[in-house]
Amino acid sequence: MNKQKSFVQGLPAALLILSAAIFTYAQDAPSKHNTRPSQSAATPAVITENKKEAVKYTYEFSQPKFVIKHIVLEHDANGRGTVTFERLNEESPIVEPLQLSPAALARINSAWQSLQFLDSNTDYQSDKQFPHLGTMRIGMEQGTRKRVAEFNWTNNTDASTLINEYRRAADQANLIFDISIARENRPLDAPKLMEVMESYIKRDGLSDPEQLLPLLQDLSTDEHVPLIARNHALRIMKKIRGK
């Protein structure tokens, strides 16, 4: 401490004054490293987002005699949600996360907008009844507004488009789940599942095959599954990329 004091006392007065001025300026000057906006500046954006009413979309299918007897698909405006399956002779439902691709979500949003669902009371049920094909329900909820429509067959083009999109999304989610189970517990099922996937793709039966590319790439190098399934995964990848 005495050495530091002696050093300071030995400095010229002008240098001491200059050092003090620099120190004072450094305290008063704004920091260039702190680029985060202040809390007050960020608050309006948060409030605006909170005021926006969230939208929830649902699709439900039920037919007690089908292998997959009950499906419930729920998602938000960003296409994120869950899909729930109930299978014949199984007690516990299967719940899987869902993320619709931008392309699939755009098609679904277009159908919803064409229906003007919350502002309409249209009955989508056709004159002919086909209960053996299963019952479908589509629903939308936004704030205090909520509506669900039920039918087993429809001639409404937009409602039919919506149902087909959701059916394809559910089939894709179910296929992904079956493949994950095969890889973990039943690898000999993998070749058959690759055939099922290719069949879906040929008839445009999946929501967005490009979403399957990471899974197929991973599957093609998984030595736990038969080589025939790995090679089939590579062929399917080429077909998807060639579309």
Side-chain angles (χ1 to χ4, degrees):
M1 179 63 71
N2 291 335
K3 289 182 179 180
Q4 292 178 349
K5 184 175 181 181
S6 299
F7 173 75
V8 173
Q9 289 175 346
L11 290 172
L15 183 56
L16 289 174
I17 293 171
L18 179 60
S19 298
I22 293 173
F23 178 75
T24 302
Y25 176 79
Q27 285 187 316
D28 293 339
S31 171
K32 293 184 179 179
H33 296 288
N34 185 12
T35 58
R36 295 178 60 191
S38 64
Q39 183 65 34
S40 59
T43 301
V46 174
I47 291 175
T48 301
E49 182 66 21
N50 289 340
K51 285 184 177 179
K52 186 178 179 180
E53 291 181 327
V55 184
K56 178 182 177 182
Y57 303 92
T58 59
Y59 161 77
E60 184 177 1
F61 171 83
S62 58
Q63 211 316 345
K65 295 182 180 180
F66 281 11
V67 174
I68 300 180
K69 62 182 182 180
H70 190 208
I71 301 169
V72 178
L73 190 152
E74 301 176 322
H75 69 90
D76 61 15
N78 296 314
R80 289 191 297 266
T82 59
V83 57
T84 303
F85 303 99
E86 292 185 49
R87 296 182 172 180
L88 195 64
N89 301 323
E90 292 185 9
E91 297 181 359
S92 301
I94 300 163
V95 182
E96 289 291 296
L98 174 75
Q99 177 61 68
L100 296 169
S101 73
L105 184 59
R107 295 192 299 267
I108 287 171
N109 283 339
S110 178
W112 279 116
Q113 290 169 7
S114 296
L115 288 173
Q116 294 292 303
F117 192 71
L118 289 178
D119 298 319
S120 171
N121 58 0
T122 302
D123 182 4
Y124 304 115
Q125 175 63 51
S126 67
D127 293 335
K128 292 184 178 181
Q129 298 280 341
F130 296 92
H132 64 287
L133 298 178
T135 300
M136 294 157 283
R137 297 178 185 88
I138 53 175
M140 182 189 296
E141 183 176 349
Q142 185 174 30
T144 58
R145 306 177 70 195
K146 182 177 181 180
R147 182 190 173 205
V148 176
E150 178 180 313
F151 49 92
N152 56 53
W153 190 264
T154 183
N155 294 323
N156 183 292
T157 302
D158 296 313
S160 179
T161 297
L162 191 61
I163 288 297
N164 288 332
E165 287 294 339
Y166 281 135
R167 182 183 295 114
R168 296 197 303 170
D171 286 342
Q172 181 166 313
N174 180 61
L175 180 59
I176 291 173
F177 174 78
D178 285 343
I179 291 173
S180 68
I181 294 299
R183 294 178 68 183
E184 292 176 9
N185 303 314
R186 299 194 298 267
L188 294 180
D189 289 350
K192 180 63 178 178
L193 289 171
M194 291 298 96
E195 293 177 6
V196 171
M197 181 185 292
E198 186 166 23
S199 176
Y200 271 125
I201 292 173
K202 284 181 178 179
R203 65 175 187 268
D204 197 23
L206 298 177
S207 178
D208 191 342
E210 289 191 3
Q211 281 187 303
L212 301 173
L213 287 174
L215 172 62
L216 289 167
Q217 179 62 51
D218 193 32
L219 189 64
S220 70
T221 59
D222 188 349
E223 296 184 356
H224 292 93
V225 301
L227 179 60
I228 188 174
R230 284 180 271 158
N231 290 336
H232 200 162
L234 289 172
R235 292 197 300 273
I236 293 175
M237 288 174 63
K238 291 180 179 179
K239 288 184 178 180
I240 293 174
R241 288 170 174 161
K243 292 180 67 176

Coordinates of all heavy atoms in Angstrom, one line a residue, residues 178-194 219 222-230:
D178 N -44.3 -46.8 -35.6 CA -44.1 -48.3 -35.8 C -42.6 -48.6 -36.1 O -42.1 -49.6 -35.7 CB -45.0 -48.8 -37.0 CG -46.5 -48.9 -36.5 OD1 -46.7 -49.0 -35.3 OD2 -47.3 -49.0 -37.4
I179 N -42.0 -47.7 -36.9 CA -40.6 -47.9 -37.2 C -39.7 -47.8 -36.0 O -38.8 -48.5 -35.8 CB -40.2 -46.8 -38.3 CG1 -40.9 -47.1 -39.6 CG2 -38.7 -46.8 -38.5 CD1 -40.6 -46.1 -40.7
S180 N -40.1 -46.8 -35.1 CA -39.3 -46.7 -33.9 C -39.4 -47.9 -33.0 O -38.4 -48.4 -32.4 CB -39.7 -45.4 -33.1 OG -41.0 -45.6 -32.6
I181 N -40.6 -48.5 -33.0 CA -40.8 -49.7 -32.2 C -40.0 -50.9 -32.8 O -39.4 -51.7 -32.1 CB -42.3 -50.1 -32.1 CG1 -43.0 -49.0 -31.2 CG2 -42.4 -51.5 -31.4 CD1 -42.5 -48.9 -29.8
A182 N -40.0 -51.0 -34.1 CA -39.3 -52.0 -34.8 C -37.8 -51.9 -34.6 O -37.2 -53.0 -34.3 CB -39.6 -52.0 -36.3
R183 N -37.3 -50.8 -34.6 CA -35.8 -50.6 -34.4 C -35.4 -51.0 -33.0 O -34.4 -51.5 -32.8 CB -35.4 -49.1 -34.7 CG -35.6 -48.7 -36.1 CD -35.2 -47.3 -36.4 NE -33.8 -47.1 -36.2 CZ -33.2 -45.9 -36.3 NH1 -34.0 -44.8 -36.5 NH2 -31.9 -45.8 -36.1
E184 N -36.3 -50.7 -32.0 CA -36.0 -51.0 -30.6 C -36.2 -52.5 -30.3 O -35.4 -53.1 -29.5 CB -36.8 -50.1 -29.7 CG -36.4 -48.6 -29.8 CD -37.3 -47.8 -28.9 OE1 -38.1 -48.3 -28.2 OE2 -37.2 -46.5 -29.1
N185 N -37.3 -53.0 -30.7 CA -37.8 -54.3 -30.2 C -38.0 -55.4 -31.3 O -37.9 -56.6 -31.0 CB -39.1 -54.2 -29.4 CG -38.9 -53.2 -28.3 OD1 -37.9 -53.2 -27.5 ND2 -39.9 -52.3 -28.1
R186 N -38.4 -55.0 -32.5 CA -38.7 -56.0 -33.5 C -38.0 -55.6 -34.9 O -38.7 -55.3 -35.8 CB -40.2 -56.1 -33.7 CG -41.0 -56.5 -32.4 CD -42.4 -56.9 -32.8 NE -43.2 -55.7 -33.3 CZ -43.9 -54.9 -32.6 NH1 -43.9 -55.0 -31.3 NH2 -44.6 -53.9 -33.2
P187 N -36.7 -55.7 -34.9 CA -36.0 -55.3 -36.1 C -36.4 -56.1 -37.4 O -36.3 -55.5 -38.5 CB -34.5 -55.5 -35.8 CG -34.6 -56.5 -34.6 CD -35.8 -56.2 -33.9
L188 N -36.9 -57.3 -37.2 CA -37.4 -58.1 -38.4 C -38.6 -57.5 -39.1 O -39.0 -57.9 -40.2 CB -37.6 -59.5 -38.0 CG -36.3 -60.3 -37.6 CD1 -36.7 -61.7 -37.2 CD2 -35.3 -60.3 -38.7
D189 N -39.3 -56.6 -38.4 CA -40.5 -55.9 -38.9 C -40.1 -54.8 -39.9 O -40.9 -54.3 -40.6 CB -41.4 -55.3 -37.9 CG -42.1 -56.4 -37.1 OD1 -42.0 -57.6 -37.5 OD2 -42.7 -56.1 -36.0
A190 N -38.8 -54.4 -39.8 CA -38.4 -53.2 -40.6 C -38.6 -53.4 -42.1 O -39.0 -52.4 -42.8 CB -36.9 -52.9 -40.3
P191 N -38.2 -54.5 -42.7 CA -38.4 -54.6 -44.2 C -39.9 -54.4 -44.6 O -40.1 -53.7 -45.6 CB -37.9 -56.1 -44.5 CG -36.9 -56.4 -43.4 CD -37.5 -55.7 -42.2
K192 N -40.8 -55.0 -43.8 CA -42.2 -54.8 -44.1 C -42.6 -53.3 -44.0 O -43.4 -52.8 -44.8 CB -43.1 -55.7 -43.2 CG -44.6 -55.6 -43.5 CD -44.9 -56.1 -44.9 CE -46.4 -56.0 -45.1 NZ -46.8 -56.4 -46.5
L193 N -42.1 -52.7 -43.0 CA -42.5 -51.3 -42.8 C -41.9 -50.4 -43.9 O -42.5 -49.4 -44.3 CB -42.0 -50.8 -41.5 CG -42.7 -51.4 -40.2 CD1 -42.0 -51.0 -39.0 CD2 -44.1 -50.8 -40.2
M194 N -40.8 -50.8 -44.5 CA -40.2 -50.0 -45.6 C -41.2 -50.2 -46.8 O -41.4 -49.3 -47.6 CB -38.8 -50.5 -46.0 CG -37.8 -50.1 -44.9 SD -37.6 -48.3 -44.7 CE -38.6 -48.0 -43.3
L219 N -31.9 -44.7 -40.4 CA -32.2 -46.1 -40.6 C -31.3 -46.9 -41.5 O -30.9 -48.0 -41.3 CB -33.7 -46.2 -41.1 CG -34.3 -47.6 -41.1 CD1 -34.5 -48.2 -39.7 CD2 -35.7 -47.6 -41.8
D222 N -28.3 -48.1 -39.6 CA -28.6 -48.9 -38.3 C -28.4 -50.4 -38.5 O -29.1 -51.0 -39.2 CB -30.0 -48.6 -37.9 CG -30.4 -49.1 -36.5 OD1 -29.5 -49.9 -36.0 OD2 -31.4 -48.8 -36.0
E223 N -27.3 -50.9 -38.0 CA -26.9 -52.3 -38.1 C -27.8 -53.2 -37.3 O -27.7 -54.4 -37.5 CB -25.5 -52.5 -37.8 CG -24.5 -51.7 -38.7 CD -23.1 -52.0 -38.3 OE1 -22.8 -52.7 -37.3 OE2 -22.2 -51.5 -39.0
H224 N -28.7 -52.7 -36.5 CA -29.7 -53.5 -35.8 C -30.8 -54.0 -36.7 O -31.5 -55.0 -36.3 CB -30.2 -52.8 -34.6 CG -29.2 -52.5 -33.5 ND1 -28.5 -51.3 -33.5 CD2 -28.8 -53.2 -32.5 CE1 -27.7 -51.3 -32.5 NE2 -27.8 -52.4 -31.8
V225 N -31.0 -53.4 -37.8 CA -32.1 -53.8 -38.7 C -31.5 -54.6 -39.9 O -30.3 -54.4 -40.2 CB -33.0 -52.6 -39.2 CG1 -33.5 -51.8 -38.0 CG2 -32.1 -51.7 -40.0
P226 N -32.3 -55.4 -40.5 CA -31.8 -56.2 -41.6 C -31.3 -55.3 -42.8 O -31.7 -54.2 -43.0 CB -33.0 -57.0 -42.1 CG -33.8 -57.1 -40.9 CD -33.7 -55.8 -40.1
L227 N -30.3 -55.9 -43.5 CA -29.7 -55.1 -44.6 C -30.7 -54.8 -45.6 O -30.6 -53.7 -46.3 CB -28.5 -56.0 -45.2 CG -27.8 -55.4 -46.4 CD1 -27.1 -54.0 -46.0 CD2 -26.8 -56.3 -46.9
I228 N -31.6 -55.7 -45.9 CA -32.6 -55.4 -46.9 C -33.4 -54.1 -46.6 O -33.8 -53.4 -47.5 CB -33.6 -56.6 -47.1 CG1 -34.5 -56.4 -48.3 CG2 -34.4 -56.9 -45.8 CD1 -35.3 -57.6 -48.6
A229 N -33.7 -53.9 -45.3 CA -34.4 -52.7 -44.9 C -33.6 -51.5 -45.0 O -34.1 -50.4 -45.5 CB -34.9 -52.8 -43.4
R230 N -32.3 -51.6 -44.7 CA -31.4 -50.4 -44.9 C -31.2 -50.0 -46.3 O -31.3 -48.8 -46.7 CB -30.0 -50.8 -44.3 CG -29.9 -50.8 -42.8 CD -28.6 -51.2 -42.3 NE -28.4 -52.6 -42.1 CZ -27.3 -53.2 -42.1 NH1 -26.1 -52.6 -42.3 NH2 -27.2 -54.5 -41.9

